[in-house]
Amino acid sequence: MLSAAAQGVPGFWRQPATDVSWNFDSGRPDPTTFPIDDMLGLSERVLRTQTAGALEYGDYYDGTIYGYAELRDRLAERTRRRDGRRVGPESVILTSGGVQAISLALKAFLDPGDVLAVEAPTWGAVVVSAQRRGAHVVPVPVDDAGLRVDVLEKQLVALRRQGRRLKLVYTIATFNTPSGVTMSVDRRHQLVDLARRWSFLVLEDNVYGDLRYDGVPVPTLFSMDDAGLVFMVESFSKTMAPALRLGWATGHPQVVAALASVRTDLGVSQWMARVMSEYLNASLFDAHVVDVIQLYRAKRSAAEDALHRRCDSWVRWRTPEGGFFLWVELDPSIDTELFLRNALNGGVLVRPGERFFGQPEDGKARFRLAFSQLPIAEIDPGITVLGKAIAESAR
Ligand SMILES: Cc1ncc(COP(=O)(O)O)c(C=O)c1O
């Protein structure tokens, strides 16, 4: 009964059957940060003053497929300010979260058998989606400075020998999921240069990019590219609220047109797009991001303190400068599967490391801990249970 795509690869969105008291699994924002009053006020204003626009399909092709032009304009303006690139609304398409922009990119640029390179580790959902499209996914290792561009170059040569060509690189260059690593400026230049020399596209997933807690901001790959090969995916999900289902891609107008051409829905909510346009217009968004950064910085500290206190001799991790996650390496004496079972029996869910690699064995001794969603007071109790689960899983 099922299509080949539905049967092909095991599903990514698996839910445990057990009750979870401490969910450190997914990258969700803290619900107490949702700006409810501002959103209520702006929603009402938009409904009363722009009733038809907010509640109808968008205007013709442009407003429907690309999305509400004023929001695209606001977002382009933000990108101009941050990245110093001359972009206008024709360089922006609104999507149902960042994930739809990524799906459109895979659809627009990859045929079965085409090659996609990803960081190892990376967001597993992208690997699963690409494999479902029949693409060949090449993992590229990551070190402290991000994606190993030298290794990617060797892979390009090897692919050419096999008569294959890399079409697309997917990179979470800033606060990589799950490792938290940010690609250095040098590496970014190298990657952009390699893309130009070998003519491949780079999809820069920047959904966590605004959530920097310390360190110096690093320019986006998009800001460094003069050839129109880098396009960037962003979203309001992590900074504002996932249920807005509002993300966007910014890139060369031809790249954005390619994404638009494979779109088969009728665009994002005109209402929410207008609300967010007003939200940006009133300078509320930047102020909101400043507020949430303070909270997540405190949560990151709470999670690190708890890991030191409750699990110290068993675990190692590097402090990420932003994002929602700690990428934790377990001592080799720990049986990871037993640990994950023990943790879940104690009511704690973390995401197994193998979910971030094309080859699951690569992530066996690791897990990703999302510190963003739980109330700060629950972080230590949850990590205490995690520490017990680790201690009980020593071989
Ligand atoms: C790395 C990364 N990119 C993109 C997304 C997409 O999120 P959304 O579609 O809600 O914008 C996620 C969500 O978890 C993510 O972790």
Side-chain angles (χ1 to χ4, degrees), residues 97-164:
V99 74
Q100 188 188 25
I102 297 169
S103 300
L104 293 177
L106 301 181
K107 203 165 157 191
F109 300 118
L110 298 179
D111 284 315
D114 280 347
V115 181
L116 167 76
V118 298
E119 285 145 343
T122 189
W123 188 34
V126 175
V127 175
V128 171
S129 282
Q131 287 170 339
R132 285 210 172 123
R133 294 202 58 73
H136 178 62
V137 180
V138 174
V140 187
V142 169
D143 64 14
D144 286 354
L147 182 137
R148 290 274 309 272
V149 179
D150 58 327
V151 175
L152 176 62
E153 189 157 13
K154 290 199 181 98
Q155 289 166 326
L156 285 166
V157 174
L159 285 167
R160 185 167 60 190
R161 262 194 241 112
Q162 298 160 20
R164 303 180 103 155

Side-chain angles (χ1 to χ4, degrees), residues 13 27 96-100 102 123 126 170 172 175 177 205-208 233-238 242 245-247 325 368:
W13 312 103
S96 174
V99 74
Q100 188 188 25
I102 297 169
W123 188 34
V126 175
Y170 168 75
I172 313 167
F175 316 136
T177 297
D205 183 339
N206 199 34
V207 300
Y208 291 103
V233 168
E234 298 177 270
S235 172
F236 290 122
S237 287
K238 310 300 177 179
R245 303 314 301 135
L246 257 183
F325 312 107
R368 187 188 77 174

Side-chain angles (χ1 to χ4, degrees), residues 218-241:
V218 178
T220 61
L221 289 160
F222 180 72
S223 72
M224 298 175 169
D225 165 44
D226 294 322
L229 293 168
V230 179
F231 60 110
M232 190 168 47
V233 168
E234 298 177 270
S235 172
F236 290 122
S237 287
K238 310 300 177 179
T239 45
M240 285 277 295

